[in-house]
Amino acid sequence: METLQTLAQCFLQSLSPDPKPRREAEAYLLDAAKQPDFAIAVLRLVAEPSVDDQIRVAAAVNFKNHLRSHWSTDNKNSSDEIPESVKDQIKALIVPLMLSSHTRIQSQLSEALAVISKHDFPKLWPSLLPELVASLQQATNYVSINGILGTANTIFKKFRYEYKSNDLFLDLKYCLDNFAQPLLKMFLQTASLIEATVDANGNAATLCPLFESQRLCCRIFYSLNFQELPEFFEDHMREWMTEFLRYLKKVYRVLEEGGGDGQSLVDGLRAAVCENISLYMEKNEEEFDVYLNEFASAVAELLIITSVFPSRERLTVTAIKFLTTVSTSVRHNLFANIVQQICQRIVIPNVRLREEDEELFEMNYVEFIQRDMEGSDLDTRRRIACELLKGIATNYKDQVISVVGLEISNLLGAYAANPSVNWKDKDCAIYLVVSLASKKDGSISTDLVDVGSFFISNIVPELQNADVNGSPMLKAGSLKFFTVFRNQIPKNVAIALMPDLIRFLTAESNVVHSYAASCIEKLLLVKDEGGRARYNSQDIDQFLPMLMTNLFESLSSPESEENPYIMKCIVRVLGVANISNGVAGACIRGLTLILSRVCTNPKNPIFNHYLFEAMAGLVKRACEKDPSLISEFEKSLFPIIQTILRDVPDFWPYAFQLLAQLVELSQQTINQNYMQVFELLLLPDTWKTPANVPALVRLLQAFLKKAPHELNREGRLSQVLGIFNRLVSVSSSVDLGFYVLNTVTENLGYDVISPYVSHIWNALFTRLQSHRSVKFVKSLIVFMSLFLIKHGSQTLVDSVNAVQPNLFVSILEHCWIPNLMLIAGRVELKLTSVASTRLLCESPVLLDASGAILCGKLLNSIVILLSREEQDRVVEEAELPEIGENVGYTATFVHLHNAGRRDEDPISEVNNPKEFFVKSLATLASQSPGKYPRIIQESLEPANQAALLGLCNTFNCSIV
């Protein structure tokens, strides 16, 4: 292995501001990392006191990262994994080295130790915990003590988030047996030191590591108690709770009066205590009950003090969470007589806007909206304070309504007395109404105020204010109120305010124009009874030109160039409005301009998804209304699509879906541009990226449907079936393989596909034999049904039996019949039931006397399939599904709702599959009197006999 001097020089160069030596050093280290003893060499460099500190820290960071990627790999035989002999050396060296190092190195080695423990502790590293305990007992300074406790805290965290299992509880018991007693001893020892230091007027430098030690002890307490109350902690609860209560009640002036790090350390310990007592309230309420009164009182008093300090956010939030937990417990009576004090002294001070809220509003609109509108603010003062009121209202609703209603009235009165100075009072009132609202019968409502009159009196004046830039936070709160209570605002009132909402799209504040866009978008989603949309194209067509102009203009605002709320509003409007040629032209130009810019740096996946959704929606709505626009759209979109296919692989799934949409909409003759893409589509390399495959299948289906004759040229059908074969052989893409095969079957005659039919059956039955998943079997039944409908039952039977004599009967008996009732989806159910009916009534295999048993089984499955309730099998797709924060480009495919392929009915001549079934059966029964009543009697269960009789009565048919 390399000498320490060489490694030291290399790590020094890796810190160089000059790119050339830095890259050379990084490349060297990357190559050296392949050697089996690399980790030991780096660890020895970290341990060498003669080496410069910055080099040792860089080496410690490298060591930690090396362990993350090489300690355990998926392939145990991989040369990338650190050898067991080296692992043993590392385990022997790391703990003493960590404890003897200074803080910066110690923190890196502690994280490295946590990486090892994640994989090996405790079973493969039984010496770790005894070594930590021995070191804890021997440690003479709090740098080492806190290093040990920090490491223990990290390795015990798994008890907070792993699922309960026997192995987990065995590990927990092992940790409790070895660490619970030393932990308590250290906690009490440090508590005594704190008290002695405070009594002796000790300085902050002495107290700080002691408070950090207690905080770490509290976090370990939380981990070890998370799953259940251990016997040791139950036996020693008083010792823990006595100290917990002390830290909540006592003032440590030497640390707190100076603020800064001292205050932060004290508050960190108190927050950890609040989390511990919240845990006990949630999981061990009976055992904790004796301490509850004192803790509730101490936390409430602490909150009254901390609420006025912006910097004490975490403590405030955790303390309020504890009171919220108490408010919904059996001891909720603690709040019975103090609702007003809680509201006035804790809730209102924490709901009022603070300076940091205003800064966030101005400086980071995305985070502000995520907190305020999207509900990620559960751990902020404003939201958690309202959650406390909701908790109290669980048992004291009338009191809460009365007290909060009075506070809202007082706040609005203060605003009315001096609007320019007291605007935060009105904001607070609006926030209380919105945050304390609840969902009833599918819409948001509140008992605090009459929504209609509150809206007219307090919200409409803000919305109709001519100055869209004045009091922006108040405007944002008013827009949020409109959005939240949109179902309760009468349609005529909302329509009258639409011009004002459109005006706010031009506001300078990113939050304000985002909220205006969100309000418009959510209004267009409102549905009345029966699921009928409240707002239609006629309602917004009068505003459409100005609305679209302002939406696109808002996308030119600083930092709003990729505003997802604006783009989502564009998508929604395009999905509702009547798109005139003029609007369509302006929109496609605006969208392609934005896409051209975004292609240079695709950094906002949610915005980009809605951008493509807007393009797909525009193509869909405009071209369906006026087919003459197709050529204009092609001219606008083809250059940018070609750019994407050449330079922006992140956008390939979207480009392929747009192309599929254009192919389907195009006129009879497909132009050469499309055919170039078709040739690209058939290349194996195009299909290598999994995220592209669903979109490629969608595009291939469009080509197969639009230009099936092209498959007869240059061996293309063979290439397409090769794609089908690859897709159907992999579990994750089985359904996609069948989409391709079904489209080929739908659009090509038997004379074209007959040379390949044997290959198709072989591929499918081989897959059926090796990997019989439910998804595959259902897809196979749908395909065979389609094949029967297109080419006849005899062709189906003969082609299957050509693979192996009598194979069809085996497939029918062991695959088709037992799984037919699992089919779901309107078109799929109709297709398979009609195909099964035809098979029953046409196939000699089933008409022959020897096939009576099989005939009865198939009859039974068809009856079950057709008699199921509609809601059991039909799931409506959401209207433009929400796109989550985890949308990415390469990990998964993201479907464009507006570019989706419509299900086409291959048997549109059959109106009702139930009627087709009973009438076909009645015709057959009339030809063989007595046969089918016997089969029904012998093969169908009583419930299915009744269902069949009901179907016959419905359509006035008889099979007797």
Side-chain angles (χ1 to χ4, degrees), residues 837 841 913-925 951-952 955-959:
T837 301
C841 299
K914 295 179 181 179
E915 183 180 10
F916 179 84
F917 168 60
V918 292
K919 287 189 174 180
S920 298
L921 197 60
T923 301
L924 191 63
L951 288 172
C952 290
F955 297 104
N956 196 26
C957 293
S958 174
I959 55 175

Coordinates of all heavy atoms in Angstrom, one line a residue, residues 837 841 913-925 951-952 955-959:
T837 N -67.5 -16.2 -24.4 CA -68.8 -16.6 -24.9 C -68.7 -17.3 -26.2 O -69.3 -18.3 -26.5 CB -69.8 -15.4 -24.9 OG1 -69.9 -14.9 -23.6 CG2 -71.1 -15.8 -25.4
C841 N -69.6 -21.2 -27.4 CA -70.7 -21.5 -28.3 C -70.2 -21.9 -29.7 O -71.0 -22.4 -30.5 CB -71.5 -20.2 -28.5 SG -72.4 -19.7 -27.0
P913 N -72.1 -6.8 -23.1 CA -71.6 -8.2 -23.1 C -72.5 -9.2 -22.3 O -72.5 -10.3 -22.6 CB -70.3 -8.0 -22.3 CG -70.4 -6.7 -21.6 CD -71.3 -5.9 -22.4
K914 N -73.3 -8.7 -21.4 CA -74.2 -9.5 -20.6 C -75.3 -10.0 -21.6 O -75.7 -11.2 -21.6 CB -74.8 -8.8 -19.4 CG -73.8 -8.4 -18.4 CD -74.5 -7.6 -17.2 CE -73.5 -7.2 -16.2 NZ -74.1 -6.5 -15.0
E915 N -75.8 -9.1 -22.3 CA -76.9 -9.5 -23.3 C -76.3 -10.4 -24.4 O -77.0 -11.4 -24.7 CB -77.5 -8.2 -24.0 CG -78.6 -8.5 -24.9 CD -79.1 -7.2 -25.6 OE1 -78.5 -6.1 -25.4 OE2 -80.2 -7.3 -26.2
F916 N -75.1 -10.1 -24.8 CA -74.5 -11.0 -25.8 C -74.3 -12.4 -25.3 O -74.6 -13.4 -26.0 CB -73.1 -10.4 -26.2 CG -72.4 -11.3 -27.2 CD1 -72.6 -11.1 -28.6 CD2 -71.4 -12.2 -26.8 CE1 -71.9 -11.9 -29.5 CE2 -70.7 -13.0 -27.7 CZ -71.0 -12.8 -29.1
F917 N -73.9 -12.5 -24.0 CA -73.7 -13.8 -23.4 C -75.0 -14.6 -23.3 O -75.1 -15.8 -23.8 CB -73.1 -13.6 -22.0 CG -73.1 -14.8 -21.1 CD1 -72.4 -15.9 -21.5 CD2 -73.8 -14.8 -19.9 CE1 -72.3 -17.1 -20.7 CE2 -73.8 -15.9 -19.1 CZ -73.0 -17.1 -19.5
V918 N -76.1 -14.1 -22.7 CA -77.3 -14.9 -22.5 C -78.0 -15.2 -23.8 O -78.6 -16.3 -24.0 CB -78.2 -14.2 -21.5 CG1 -77.6 -14.1 -20.1 CG2 -78.6 -12.8 -21.9
K919 N -77.9 -14.2 -24.8 CA -78.6 -14.5 -26.1 C -77.8 -15.6 -26.9 O -78.4 -16.4 -27.5 CB -78.7 -13.2 -26.9 CG -79.8 -12.3 -26.3 CD -80.1 -11.1 -27.2 CE -81.3 -10.3 -26.7 NZ -81.6 -9.1 -27.5
S920 N -76.5 -15.5 -26.8 CA -75.7 -16.6 -27.5 C -76.0 -17.9 -26.8 O -76.1 -18.9 -27.5 CB -74.2 -16.2 -27.4 OG -73.9 -15.0 -28.0
L921 N -76.0 -17.9 -25.5 CA -76.3 -19.2 -24.8 C -77.7 -19.7 -25.1 O -77.9 -20.9 -25.2 CB -76.1 -18.9 -23.3 CG -75.9 -20.2 -22.4 CD1 -74.6 -21.0 -22.8 CD2 -75.7 -19.7 -20.9
A922 N -78.6 -18.8 -25.2 CA -80.0 -19.2 -25.5 C -80.1 -19.8 -26.9 O -80.8 -20.8 -27.1 CB -81.0 -18.0 -25.3
T923 N -79.4 -19.2 -27.8 CA -79.4 -19.8 -29.2 C -78.8 -21.2 -29.2 O -79.3 -22.1 -29.8 CB -78.6 -18.8 -30.1 OG1 -79.2 -17.5 -30.1 CG2 -78.6 -19.4 -31.5
L924 N -77.7 -21.3 -28.5 CA -77.0 -22.6 -28.5 C -77.9 -23.7 -27.7 O -78.0 -24.8 -28.2 CB -75.7 -22.5 -27.7 CG -74.7 -23.7 -27.8 CD1 -74.3 -23.9 -29.3 CD2 -73.5 -23.4 -27.0
A925 N -78.6 -23.2 -26.7 CA -79.4 -24.2 -25.9 C -80.6 -24.6 -26.7 O -81.0 -25.8 -26.6 CB -79.9 -23.5 -24.6
L951 N -79.8 -12.8 -15.2 CA -79.4 -12.2 -16.5 C -80.4 -12.6 -17.6 O -80.7 -11.8 -18.4 CB -78.0 -12.7 -16.8 CG -76.8 -12.1 -16.0 CD1 -75.5 -12.8 -16.4 CD2 -76.6 -10.6 -16.3
C952 N -80.8 -13.8 -17.5 CA -81.8 -14.3 -18.6 C -83.1 -13.5 -18.4 O -83.7 -13.1 -19.5 CB -82.0 -15.8 -18.4 SG -80.6 -16.8 -18.8
F955 N -82.8 -9.9 -19.9 CA -82.8 -9.8 -21.4 C -83.9 -10.7 -22.0 O -83.8 -11.0 -23.2 CB -81.4 -10.1 -21.9 CG -80.4 -9.1 -21.4 CD1 -79.5 -9.5 -20.4 CD2 -80.4 -7.8 -21.9 CE1 -78.6 -8.6 -19.9 CE2 -79.4 -6.9 -21.4 CZ -78.5 -7.3 -20.4
N956 N -84.8 -11.2 -21.2 CA -85.9 -12.0 -21.7 C -85.5 -13.2 -22.6 O -85.9 -13.4 -23.7 CB -86.9 -11.1 -22.5 CG -88.2 -11.7 -22.8 OD1 -88.7 -12.6 -22.0 ND2 -88.9 -11.3 -23.8
C957 N -84.5 -13.9 -22.0 CA -84.0 -15.1 -22.7 C -84.2 -16.4 -21.9 O -84.4 -16.3 -20.6 CB -82.5 -15.0 -23.0 SG -82.1 -13.7 -24.1
S958 N -84.2 -17.5 -22.5 CA -84.4 -18.8 -21.8 C -83.4 -19.8 -22.3 O -83.1 -19.9 -23.5 CB -85.8 -19.3 -22.0 OG -85.9 -20.6 -21.5
I959 N -82.8 -20.5 -21.4 CA -81.8 -21.6 -21.8 C -82.4 -22.9 -21.4 O -81.6 -23.9 -21.4 CB -80.4 -21.3 -21.2 CG1 -80.5 -21.2 -19.7 CG2 -79.8 -20.1 -21.9 CD1 -79.1 -21.1 -19.1

